[in-house]
Amino acid sequence: MSTVTGQAVTPHAAKYIVQLCKHWSHKFQVETTETQGVVHFPTALVTMDALPDALQVRIEAKDADTAEQLKAVVAKHLD
C-alpha cells in the first residue's frame, strides 16, 4: 500500500469536493458529506477533506506507481 497526500490552497474546497465527486460518481462509488469526499477507484481510495483555506487530498493506492498516476489525475481535474 502506498499513500500520497497533498493540499491545494483555496477557500472553495467544499465546492471542489462536490464537483469532483459528482464527476467521478458516473464511474465509481463515491461518498460525500459537506466537508469530505471519498472516491473508490478500482486500485485506490481518494479522500478529500475541505479545510477552511485548503483542499486536502489523500490517495491510498495498491502501489507507488498507481498512487503517482492518480495524483496526476486528481491534479489535472483540480486545474
Side-chain angles (χ1 to χ4, degrees):
M1 183 72 68
S2 182
T3 302
V4 176
T5 60
Q7 281 191 351
V9 177
T10 177
H12 307 289
K15 174 183 162 188
Y16 289 124
I17 289 172
V18 170
Q19 289 176 332
L20 288 172
C21 286
K22 183 178 179 182
H23 172 74
W24 282 320
S25 71
H26 299 286
K27 293 177 108 177
F28 309 109
Q29 176 189 351
V30 300
E31 302 164 27
T32 59
T33 67
E34 289 184 14
T35 60
Q36 186 179 70
V38 179
V39 183
H40 297 263
F41 288 92
T43 57
L45 185 69
V46 175
T47 304
M48 299 170 283
D49 292 297
L51 304 177
D53 60 352
L55 173 63
Q56 184 172 351
V57 180
R58 183 176 65 250
I59 301 168
E60 299 172 71
K62 66 176 187 166
D63 56 48
D65 288 339
T66 302
E68 287 300 318
Q69 289 172 351
L70 270 175
K71 178 180 165 185
V73 168
V74 172
K76 180 180 174 184
H77 280 81
L78 284 172
D79 284 342

